Amino acid sequence: MSSTQKSLYERVGGEIAVAMLIDRFYDRVLNDAQLEPFFKNVPMDKLREMQLEFFSAALDGPAHYSGRPIEQVHKGRGITSHHLSRFMGHLLATIEFVHPNEREKQEMYGRIGLYGDAVLDDPLEGSE
Ligand code: HEM
């Protein structure tokens, strides 16, 4: 099978790589004083499990996402584009640490970034 036929999920290293990414990613997010308060009282094991399914599905992997719709989960929590940009910054730093090649880095970051608007309570801020 040529590399163009493989899913992004396979190209970045499959379940082990994605699970490692999620773990490191949330370690970074929870160490960010501006993001950590959002995750108070959130069962992190369950969140990591849902995020593993979500990432896997977003990268065309085998998992089916069984969590709640992204918009429904995030709306009303006061998440602004400032928070999203910090969150995405941690994601990029984590992906760089796991170091797939440049194309895969961009693809992965782009796939997750597609959902950014759905988590915001200030979606119009970017158009000012
Ligand atoms: C592209 C950006 C994002 C994606 C794709 C995403 C995805 C997800 C997913 C899949 C879940 C699990 C849903 C479930 O358990 O049914 C979740 C939960 C959660 N997310 Fe996000 N998220 C994003 C951004 C953010 C940001 C920026 C914050 C806050 C700064 C945030 C805070 C939370 C919290 C607090 C939960 C747990 C909700 C709960 O279980 O009560 N998320 N997110």
Side-chain angles (χ1 to χ4, degrees):
M1 193 188 257
S2 83
S3 70
T4 49
Q5 288 171 311
K6 284 190 180 172
S7 68
L8 181 54
Y9 177 82
E10 286 173 296
R11 283 188 276 129
V12 300
E15 187 175 351
I16 290 173
V18 177
M20 191 170 99
L21 180 109
I22 300 287
D23 267 359
R24 291 184 192 274
F25 174 52
Y26 279 106
D27 286 348
R28 283 189 69 106
V29 168
L30 295 179
N31 270 309
D32 182 328
Q34 295 184 46
L35 299 183
E36 189 273 334
F38 288 95
F39 295 89
K40 282 232 158 73
N41 306 318
V42 168
M44 289 308 291
D45 285 354
K46 173 83 173 139
L47 175 59
R48 283 174 204 256
E49 194 188 312
M50 286 301 102
Q51 228 13 317
L52 187 58
E53 284 183 7
F54 184 86
F55 269 58
S56 164
L59 304 178
D60 302 328
H64 168 72
Y65 174 58
S66 64
R68 293 158 288 170
I70 295 300
E71 193 160 343
Q72 193 183 307
V73 176
H74 297 88
K75 288 286 174 192
R77 289 181 188 266
I79 301 172
T80 65
S81 39
H82 167 75
H83 300 118
L84 177 64
S85 120
R86 293 189 72 88
F87 185 90
M88 293 303 289
H90 291 306
L91 180 62
L92 190 59
T94 311
I95 296 175
E96 299 207 318
F97 189 80
V98 178
H99 63 75
N101 69 33
E102 195 55 38
R103 179 176 146 210
E104 280 146 11
K105 265 185 218 168
Q106 297 301 332
E107 274 187 70
M108 245 175 138
Y109 182 77
R111 292 282 183 100
I112 304 304
L114 284 176
Y115 298 89
D117 273 358
V119 311
L120 293 178
D121 277 329
D122 70 340
L124 295 177
E125 201 174 89
S127 63
E128 276 167 13

